[in-house]
Amino acid sequence: MKSDNSINSTSSVNSDNTVNCTTPANADNLFDNEQIATEATAITATTEPPKQQRIGKQQRKSDFSEFKATFLAPAKLVNRHALNIEGDLWDQLERVSRILGDRGTTVSSYANAILAEHLKQYADDIEIWRKL
């Protein structure tokens, strides 16, 4: 008798496992909810990076002139304060300002422009974070 019950209980467990197991037919959508499957497909489709387009010489010149006007314009700082930064960062800023900037462009004016642009770009977020 015991052997019959153990066989029956084992077979019933096996049959439950076969019904509830994930098969390729229902692997995409376990709960038969089409909306979740569609949203997951949409998310994976939108996360693919766009194909890289070739940038022409004119576009590069335009981008450079915009960068130069924004960050490398010579400026005289009136109300100055000292700012301590790492030496290698100073060297990088100096290299960019000396090579790409016009005469009169300094590391200080370049760093000032970078910080001003950063604060302008994140002004709304900074205000929200301040209120947290």
Side-chain angles (χ1 to χ4, degrees), residues 85 89 110 120:
I85 60 173
L89 183 58
Y110 180 43
K120 186 173 91 174

Side-chain angles (χ1 to χ4, degrees), residues 87-104:
D88 59 339
L89 183 58
W90 176 270
D91 293 339
Q92 290 175 5
L93 292 172
E94 185 176 35
R95 181 175 171 88
V96 171
S97 65
R98 300 279 184 232
I99 293 173
L100 298 179
D102 291 332
R103 187 174 193 173

Side-chain angles (χ1 to χ4, degrees), residues 101-113:
D102 291 332
R103 187 174 193 173
T105 302
T106 63
V107 175
S108 296
S109 64
Y110 180 43
N112 190 63

